[in-house]
Each structure stands twice: as structure tokens, then as C-alpha cells.
């Protein structure tokens, strides 16, 4: 009888391999989180993840591991722990986000210029999520480009520093998750400019980093809008469950949860592209549908002045971000279109 190997998503495989590599790491992460209050929207900060990593390493390796850890600086310890910190946060929800192909192509080509507050990215729907990134390429430290299979995204808040977005890159043929932190200060353009400047000075790899990083940011911004995601239920972090023995506890997801992003917008884009190609959609009252470059547009709402007539700072007002699709006119209403999900083959699992 032929034996069939059960397929699993490559992101889930990374989680399982990390658990085997360092037994006890997830329990250590849970213990640190239970003992230390974490900032809103963050499962574990990087320093807290480093503490959990050290606990699990000592438990698994004894005094030899303890001596090795003592030789590391706090920064080196944090960096060594980052793959485990990322996977510990993702373990709780295991959300995998697949963007509709038509929308995906438009989003990764969307310009991030403009007065877009970087803090919008603090609205991630889960502590950590994984986005599939077909066609994108990462840049290695030797400036060579390799396929980027997907990216984990989470938030971090170093002591006394602003919140930062941490992107964990799953690179084809690379055994370790590579990370890039982006401080969420000022506008998105300002935040990314600082990161790109560091890469340009160190590696001369600015064009390659710009390409994948800006593309992933656009994908995340659309997910943060949160109104065009299909799946069972709604994305979100787990709620504590009361147990008889241990009181209130958080339990991780039992398996991956797939979320289809932009199903209706993708259908609208395909309909508009087809109308433009066949010269349909035009009327005597207005032009036919045609394609333009997509862009992001933000809207500030709420009162501009308080009761004393003083200006209200922007950070106290509400900012709504909307993606303007690459269609100038006659874009069908996405709410009226069927949610047709187009299946995409999952990337093969690593051994």
C-alpha cells in the first residue's frame, strides 16, 4: 500500500522544528509572560523572549549552557532568541494570510509616500501573523537575492523606546529566520528611510531591501484595515480560559488558521481590468473603467480643537487608512461581489 506523507505548511514546520530544537521553550515563554506584564498588542518583548530563551537553554543544557549564555551581551542574547520569540507569539494563533493574486500584485506595487502615520501598523489583528509572499525576494548579507517564502510580523517595544514592527523573513534554503525591526515613529516614509539608510551604508543593498520591505508593509496595511478578510470567525488573540488546576491560562492554537485577504477587492479588480481591456464600462455621462497606480490615503477624524479652543494633537485624533485601488472610475462595489476564493498551492514544507 502506498504511504502518503501528510503535508503541513512551511510556517508550521518551522514552529515544530523550533520546539524540538529547544525543548521547554514554549513553557518558558508562557512562564515569563505570566510573571511579567507585557505592553498592549505584544505577546513577548524581545528582552522577555531572551529571558525565556535563557531559561529553556539552561534547563536543556545545564551548566555548560549557562556558561555559554554568560558570555553573551544582552543584545546578543536577544538576537539569538528572536526566532523563538517570533514563533512563540505566532504559536498562539498560527494565522496564515493569503492575499488574493490580483490584489497582491497591486498592493506590492503601491507607493508608501505621503503623510501616513507609522503607528497604523500597531493595529495588527494578532500578536503575530504570517503572510505568504510569492514572487518577492529577500536580500542576504552578501547582497544576493533569494526567494522570500513568507514573513512573520509582530510588534516589539524595547525598554524606553518606541514601538517597532519586527519582520521575520522565511528565506528559501536558509535555516534561520532573519529579522528586520522598523521603529514606528513619524510617518511610514520616515520610519523606512532610517532602515534603508542603515542597509545602504552597511551593505549597499538598498534597492533589494526597499523592494521586499515596502511590499510587505503594504500587505500589512491592508490587513490592518480588517474589513476584507475571509475565514472561520475573525482574526484575534486567544482569550484566557479558566482551569481547575492552574486558574486562568492562555492556550495556543491547535493548528494553522488560514485567512483569505482581499477576496472581494480582488474580484472587483479583475472585473475592472477586464472592462478596461474590452473597452466596457464607459457611458455618455462618464469615461470607461481604466487603470491607474494604487496609493494609500488617510483620513483624520474627530474634533480639531478642545472646549477651550486649543488645538488637539494628532495622536489624540482618529486616523483611518484606506487603500485606493488602481482604478480611476467604474470600480464595482466590492460588497456586492461574490467572495470567490482562488486556491493557491502551499509552498512545500522544509524537511
Amino acid at each position: 500500500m502506498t504511504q502518503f506523507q501528510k503535508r503541513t505548511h512551511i510556517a508550521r514546520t518551522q514552529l515544530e522544528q523550533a520546539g524540538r530544537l529547544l525543548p521547554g521553550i514554549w513553557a518558558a515563554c508562557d512562564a515569563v509572560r505570566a510573571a511579567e506584564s507585557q505592553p498592549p498588542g505584544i505577546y513577548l518583548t524581545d528582552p522577555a523572549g531572551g529571558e525565556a530563551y535563557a531559561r529553556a537553554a539552561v534547563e536543556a543544557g545545564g551548566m555548560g549552557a549557562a556558561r555559554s549564555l554568560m558570555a553573551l551581551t544582552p543584545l546578543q542574547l536577544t538576537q539569538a532568541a528572536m526566532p523563538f520569540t517570533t514563533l512563540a507569539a505566532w504559536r498562539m494563533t498560527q494565522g496564515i494570510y493569503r492575499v488574493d493574486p490580483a490584489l497582491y500584485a497591486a498592493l506590492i506595487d503601491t507607493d508608501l509616500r505621503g503623510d501616513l502615520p507609522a503607528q497604523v501598523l500597531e493595529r495588527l489583528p494578532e500578536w503575530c501573523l504570517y503572510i505568504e509572499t510569492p514572487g518577492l525576494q529577500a536580500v542576504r548579507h552578501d547582497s544576493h537575492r533569494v526567494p522570500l517564502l513568507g514573513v512573520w510580523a509582530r510588534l516589539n517595544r524595547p525598554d524606553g523606546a518606541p514601538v517597532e514592527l519586527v519582520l521575520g523573513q522565511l528565506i528559501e534554503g536558509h535555516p534561520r529566520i532573519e529579522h528586520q525591526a522598523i521603529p514606528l515613529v513619524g510617518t511610514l516614509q520616515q520610519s523606512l528611510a532610517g532602515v534603508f539608510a542603515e542597509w545602504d551604508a552597511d551593505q549597499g543593498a538598498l534597492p533589494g531591501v526597499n523592494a521586499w520591505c515596502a511590499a510587505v508593509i503594504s500587505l500589512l496595511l491592508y490587513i490592518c484595515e480588517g474589513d476584507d478578510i475571509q475565514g472561520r470567525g475573525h482574526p484575534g488573540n486567544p482569550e484566557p480560559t479558566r482551569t481547575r488546576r492552574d486558574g486562568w491560562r492562555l492556550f495556543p492554537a491547535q493548528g494553522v488558521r488560514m485567512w483569505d485577504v482581499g477576496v472581494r477587492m480582488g474580484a472587483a479588480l479583475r472585473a475592472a481590468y477586464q472592462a478596461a481591456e474590452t473597452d466596457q464600462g464607459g457611458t455618455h455621462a462618464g469615461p470607461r473603467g481604466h487603470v491607474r497606480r494604487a496609493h494609500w490615503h488617510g483620513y483624520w477624524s474627530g474634533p480639531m480643537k478642545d472646549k477651550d479652543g486649543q488645538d488637539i494633537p494628532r495622536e489624540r485624533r482618529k486616523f483611518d487608512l484606506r487603500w485606493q485601488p488602481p482604478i480611476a472610475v467604474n470600480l464595482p462595489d466590492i460588497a456586492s461581489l461574490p467572495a470567490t476564493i482562488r486556491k493557491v498551492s502551499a509552498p512545500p514544507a522544509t524537511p
Side-chain angles (χ1 to χ4, degrees), residues 3 12 45 62 82 101 136 189 236 251 254 277 339:
Q3 295 292 324
R12 171 75 185 192
T45 63
M82 284 184 76
L136 291 186
Q189 194 172 7
F251 290 95
Q254 295 301 306
E277 291 174 357

mmCIF file of all heavy atoms in Angstrom, residues 3 12 45 62 82 101 136 189 236 251 254 277 339:
data_model
loop_
_atom_site.group_PDB
_atom_site.id
_atom_site.type_symbol
_atom_site.label_atom_id
_atom_site.label_comp_id
_atom_site.label_asym_id
_atom_site.label_seq_id
_atom_site.Cartn_x
_atom_site.Cartn_y
_atom_site.Cartn_z
ATOM 1 N N GLN A 3 2.259 4.762 0.850
ATOM 2 C CA GLN A 3 2.197 5.645 2.010
ATOM 3 C C GLN A 3 2.275 7.094 1.537
ATOM 4 O O GLN A 3 3.130 7.452 0.726
ATOM 5 C CB GLN A 3 3.364 5.358 2.957
ATOM 6 C CG GLN A 3 3.321 3.958 3.580
ATOM 7 C CD GLN A 3 2.155 3.802 4.543
ATOM 8 O OE1 GLN A 3 1.800 4.731 5.248
ATOM 9 N NE2 GLN A 3 1.577 2.611 4.558
ATOM 10 N N ARG A 12 4.264 26.264 9.863
ATOM 11 C CA ARG A 12 4.012 25.329 10.969
ATOM 12 C C ARG A 12 5.210 24.416 11.176
ATOM 13 O O ARG A 12 5.566 24.090 12.319
ATOM 14 C CB ARG A 12 2.757 24.505 10.644
ATOM 15 C CG ARG A 12 2.489 23.356 11.594
ATOM 16 C CD ARG A 12 1.942 23.784 12.920
ATOM 17 N NE ARG A 12 1.810 22.639 13.825
ATOM 18 C CZ ARG A 12 1.150 22.659 14.974
ATOM 19 N NH1 ARG A 12 0.552 23.780 15.378
ATOM 20 N NH2 ARG A 12 1.077 21.584 15.733
ATOM 21 N N THR A 45 8.006 40.923 24.582
ATOM 22 C CA THR A 45 9.016 41.818 24.031
ATOM 23 C C THR A 45 10.289 41.018 23.758
ATOM 24 O O THR A 45 10.455 39.905 24.261
ATOM 25 C CB THR A 45 9.333 42.951 25.015
ATOM 26 O OG1 THR A 45 9.894 42.385 26.209
ATOM 27 C CG2 THR A 45 8.087 43.755 25.360
ATOM 28 N N GLY A 62 22.077 22.597 31.026
ATOM 29 C CA GLY A 62 22.778 22.618 32.306
ATOM 30 C C GLY A 62 23.818 23.725 32.398
ATOM 31 O O GLY A 62 23.711 24.778 31.769
ATOM 32 N N MET A 82 15.505 35.735 19.076
ATOM 33 C CA MET A 82 14.444 36.335 18.261
ATOM 34 C C MET A 82 13.619 35.335 17.454
ATOM 35 O O MET A 82 12.387 35.466 17.386
ATOM 36 C CB MET A 82 15.017 37.419 17.354
ATOM 37 C CG MET A 82 15.334 38.706 18.089
ATOM 38 S SD MET A 82 15.910 40.052 17.013
ATOM 39 C CE MET A 82 14.366 40.572 16.250
ATOM 40 N N PRO A 101 -4.575 37.049 -5.551
ATOM 41 C CA PRO A 101 -3.493 37.352 -6.507
ATOM 42 C C PRO A 101 -3.600 38.710 -7.184
ATOM 43 O O PRO A 101 -2.599 39.416 -7.335
ATOM 44 C CB PRO A 101 -3.596 36.206 -7.525
ATOM 45 C CG PRO A 101 -4.204 35.077 -6.762
ATOM 46 C CD PRO A 101 -5.160 35.709 -5.801
ATOM 47 N N LEU A 136 8.283 37.590 -4.162
ATOM 48 C CA LEU A 136 9.188 38.554 -3.546
ATOM 49 C C LEU A 136 10.554 37.919 -3.297
ATOM 50 O O LEU A 136 10.671 36.696 -3.165
ATOM 51 C CB LEU A 136 8.622 39.079 -2.224
ATOM 52 C CG LEU A 136 7.395 39.975 -2.314
ATOM 53 C CD1 LEU A 136 7.042 40.529 -0.937
ATOM 54 C CD2 LEU A 136 7.607 41.116 -3.300
ATOM 55 N N GLN A 189 7.109 56.702 5.698
ATOM 56 C CA GLN A 189 8.236 57.028 4.840
ATOM 57 C C GLN A 189 9.473 57.355 5.678
ATOM 58 O O GLN A 189 10.588 56.932 5.361
ATOM 59 C CB GLN A 189 7.878 58.214 3.938
ATOM 60 C CG GLN A 189 8.839 58.422 2.776
ATOM 61 C CD GLN A 189 8.346 59.478 1.808
ATOM 62 O OE1 GLN A 189 7.355 60.149 2.070
ATOM 63 N NE2 GLN A 189 9.033 59.614 0.695
ATOM 64 N N GLY A 236 -7.816 37.222 15.678
ATOM 65 C CA GLY A 236 -7.723 37.803 17.017
ATOM 66 C C GLY A 236 -6.899 36.918 17.926
ATOM 67 O O GLY A 236 -6.605 35.757 17.607
ATOM 68 N N PHE A 251 -4.182 29.312 25.946
ATOM 69 C CA PHE A 251 -3.824 28.092 25.225
ATOM 70 C C PHE A 251 -3.518 28.436 23.767
ATOM 71 O O PHE A 251 -4.209 29.248 23.155
ATOM 72 C CB PHE A 251 -4.952 27.071 25.286
ATOM 73 C CG PHE A 251 -5.149 26.478 26.656
ATOM 74 C CD1 PHE A 251 -6.083 27.011 27.529
ATOM 75 C CD2 PHE A 251 -4.372 25.403 27.068
ATOM 76 C CE1 PHE A 251 -6.256 26.473 28.796
ATOM 77 C CE2 PHE A 251 -4.540 24.855 28.335
ATOM 78 C CZ PHE A 251 -5.481 25.396 29.204
ATOM 79 N N GLN A 254 -4.457 25.006 18.009
ATOM 80 C CA GLN A 254 -4.141 23.598 17.760
ATOM 81 C C GLN A 254 -3.542 23.362 16.381
ATOM 82 O O GLN A 254 -2.926 22.336 16.131
ATOM 83 C CB GLN A 254 -5.408 22.750 17.935
ATOM 84 C CG GLN A 254 -5.952 22.751 19.346
ATOM 85 C CD GLN A 254 -4.935 22.213 20.353
ATOM 86 O OE1 GLN A 254 -4.419 21.104 20.193
ATOM 87 N NE2 GLN A 254 -4.632 22.998 21.370
ATOM 88 N N GLU A 277 -9.872 46.356 -20.595
ATOM 89 C CA GLU A 277 -9.285 45.691 -21.756
ATOM 90 C C GLU A 277 -10.270 45.551 -22.902
ATOM 91 O O GLU A 277 -9.896 45.561 -24.078
ATOM 92 C CB GLU A 277 -8.757 44.316 -21.355
ATOM 93 C CG GLU A 277 -7.541 44.383 -20.434
ATOM 94 C CD GLU A 277 -7.134 43.004 -19.931
ATOM 95 O OE1 GLU A 277 -7.844 42.026 -20.276
ATOM 96 O OE2 GLU A 277 -6.132 42.913 -19.216
ATOM 97 N N ALA A 339 -17.750 36.301 -2.941
ATOM 98 C CA ALA A 339 -16.450 36.035 -2.310
ATOM 99 C C ALA A 339 -15.870 34.755 -2.884
ATOM 100 O O ALA A 339 -15.922 33.688 -2.271
ATOM 101 C CB ALA A 339 -16.617 35.914 -0.798
#
